[in-house]
Amino acid sequence: MRPRRLPPCLAVTAVSAALLFVLLLLCASSSPPLFAWRSSAASRPAPPPPPPRAEWGPGRPPSFAYWISGTGGDARRVLRLLRAVYHPRNRYLLHLDAGAAAGEREALAQAVRWDEPAWREFRNVDVVGEGYAVDRTGSSALAAVLHGAAVLLRIGAHWDWLVTLSAEDYPLVTQDDLLYAFSSVPRDLNFIDHTSELGWKRHERFEKIIVDPSLYMDRNTEPFPSKEIRQIPDAFQIFTGSPWVILSRNFAEHCVHGWDNLPRKLLMYFANTAYSMESYFQTLICNSSDFRNTTVNGDLSSSAFARRFEEDTPMLKKMDDELLNRSPVQLVPGVWCLNLGKEQNGTDADSCSKWGDINTVRPGRGGERLRQFISEISQARGCR
């Protein structure tokens, strides 16, 4: 949804050609030229300095790709969440499903283009231009996340982990804290809450068959149950857990491209399973010999992110004030922005316009606690 820019050489050529065309028209007329060229370079405004470049690899902080989803009326909440989790090193993909009108989706895209100078300069925020039907209780929610992963893999070459959030979620730590904490663990780890103890879900989720009309309708539609039941599969073991996941880039690529048949086979099965977001990634990774031992049993709920929040609830303001050190209309201050939150002309700056070092993070106490917690839970890996 962002406007495309011409390469500098083509832009100069295009401007020169336009000026030459105007001069030819003036010379062809009987009237003298109506303007004269200024030769003084002092009258030309200096171009703004280019944004700093991100550096990747060992010794540098990692990068996250965020899939942030919402429905009708969620555009403001999505923007508030985006500001709360923004950092120039990351990639962001925003999606409003078929419950949102086209005008709301366009307003979200316009805000991404113009509301924050950092979003324009670093060009790391995108909006899905077309809404499609999604119901969180059915497999259409899983299809949406896989679509987001595929797009983020295509447009972002350097991110290390995929984070799935909804408009009802909110961070408990700054991005400096999160980047610092994840710098302490291997970048092939996957943070997925999982268990093989199915309990009541065995019958209610995996023996019952549902149909999710949002997979084939153009509006959000609730799934409905089939009269038939099915046996628990014996070709793979089912795992279940939290629908919120943090996936490594390697595993996200496996989910999208799948060099063996397991990802597609499981998609066919979970297409008719209620709340498939609570089981698909868990079952896939725990039945994969390539990725099973990269699994950490935890989704970082209550340590890095919290959910679910009503719009403009006082708790969000309290989190902004005490945890993120920002106002509801600000990005979160960090080393990468030199002026954010500092007083200018008698008032605090609400927008970042002076770039600092985007390859350095400055964690607070929350970052230290999160780093220790992630290091501890990462010691036990695999599926049990």
Side-chain angles (χ1 to χ4, degrees):
M1 298 299 299
R2 300 172 303 174
R4 299 183 62 183
R5 299 182 177 179
L6 287 172
C9 58
L10 295 181
V12 173
T13 303
V15 172
S16 301
L19 292 174
L20 179 60
F21 180 66
V22 172
L23 285 173
L24 290 174
L25 287 178
L26 291 171
C27 292
S29 67
S30 57
S31 302
L34 301 178
F35 61 89
W37 291 105
R38 291 180 178 269
S39 58
S40 173
S43 61
R44 301 174 189 171
R53 297 181 60 180
E55 298 174 0
W56 315 102
R60 294 301 185 185
S63 173
F64 294 94
Y66 280 88
W67 166 256
I68 301 177
S69 59
T71 187
D74 278 345
R76 288 181 64 249
R77 301 171 74 182
V78 167
L79 285 172
R80 181 172 183 166
L81 176 57
L82 173 62
R83 287 186 170 93
V85 298
Y86 183 77
H87 193 282
R89 294 188 63 82
N90 298 335
R91 295 289 318 195
Y92 301 86
L93 185 59
L94 317 180
H95 177 244
L96 296 179
D97 65 28
E104 185 178 7
R105 194 171 296 108
E106 178 58 30
L108 178 62
Q110 289 282 2
V112 167
R113 282 194 288 264
W114 302 113
D115 279 12
E116 293 287 347
W119 298 346
R120 295 195 302 270
E121 287 298 326
F122 293 100
R123 301 174 63 85
N124 59 341
V125 183
D126 293 274
V127 178
V128 178
E130 181 178 355
Y132 44 79
V134 175
D135 187 277
R136 70 180 183 87
T137 67
S139 53
S140 54
L142 172 60
V145 170
L146 290 173
H147 170 231
V151 174
L152 286 163
L153 286 168
R154 180 73 178 270
I155 65 178
H158 298 289
W159 58 264
D160 300 291
W161 281 283
L162 170 67
V163 180
T164 60
L165 297 178
S166 77
E168 299 173 326
D169 303 331
Y170 218 66
L172 296 172
V173 295
T174 69
Q175 288 305 286
D176 276 15
D177 290 336
L178 194 67
L179 292 167
Y180 171 75
F182 271 77
S183 298
S184 66
V185 297
R187 299 186 184 185
D188 64 343
L189 294 188
N190 295 275
F191 295 81
I192 304 176
D193 173 73
H194 64 273
T195 179
S196 61
E197 297 294 331
L198 304 183
W200 62 269
K201 291 184 179 180
R202 180 182 181 91
H203 175 68
E204 293 298 322
R205 297 280 175 85
F206 305 114
E207 291 182 348
K208 288 186 176 181
I209 299 173
I210 70 156
V211 177
D212 185 357
S214 293
L215 290 172
Y216 56 85
M217 302 294 287
D218 62 359
R219 62 186 181 279
N220 296 354
T221 308
E222 291 185 4
F224 59 87
S226 168
K227 296 180 180 179
E228 303 296 327
I229 62 173
R230 59 185 175 182
Q231 293 181 337
I232 293 292
D234 58 11
F236 50 85
Q237 184 178 10
I238 294 178
F239 287 76
T240 187
S242 166
W244 312 108
V245 294
I246 300 178
L247 307 180
S248 69
R249 186 184 185 94
N250 286 343
F251 183 61
E253 288 177 337
H254 182 57
C255 295
V256 172
H257 301 299
W259 48 86
D260 60 37
N261 198 35
L262 186 59
R264 284 167 290 276
K265 182 189 295 186
L266 293 183
L267 276 178
M268 297 300 100
Y269 177 78
F270 285 107
N272 297 116
T273 303
Y275 295 93
S276 57
M277 271 295 296
E278 296 181 4
S279 301
Y280 174 76
F281 295 111
Q282 289 84 349
T283 302
L284 175 56
I285 201 165
C286 287
N287 284 271
S288 171
S289 59
D290 290 332
F291 293 99
R292 184 182 302 121
N293 292 328
T294 68
T295 311
V296 177
N297 197 350
D299 64 354
L300 302 190
S301 291
S302 75
S303 56
F305 301 97
R307 51 186 59 96
R308 302 175 176 263
F309 295 101
E310 297 293 331
E311 184 174 7
D312 294 330
T313 179
M315 179 58 70
L316 292 182
K317 185 178 187 306
K318 185 178 180 67
M319 294 163 68
D320 281 334
D321 291 340
E322 299 182 7
L323 301 179
L324 305 181
N325 189 31
R326 76 175 202 113
S327 76
V329 298
Q330 280 183 335
L331 303 178
V332 178
V335 179
W336 68 273
C337 181
L338 298 179
N339 72 296
L340 190 59
K342 294 183 178 180
E343 187 172 295
Q344 295 180 356
N345 299 324
T347 60
D348 289 343
D350 286 336
S351 295
C352 183
S353 58
K354 296 180 181 179
W355 322 124
D357 185 359
I358 68 174
N359 301 303
T360 299
V361 296
R362 183 181 296 159
R365 288 178 295 177
E368 292 290 352
R369 288 193 298 266
L370 183 61
R371 183 187 181 101
Q372 182 177 355
F373 175 71
I374 290 178
S375 297
E376 290 175 356
I377 65 173
S378 298
Q379 300 305 311
R381 305 174 194 175
C383 301
R384 298 173 177 82

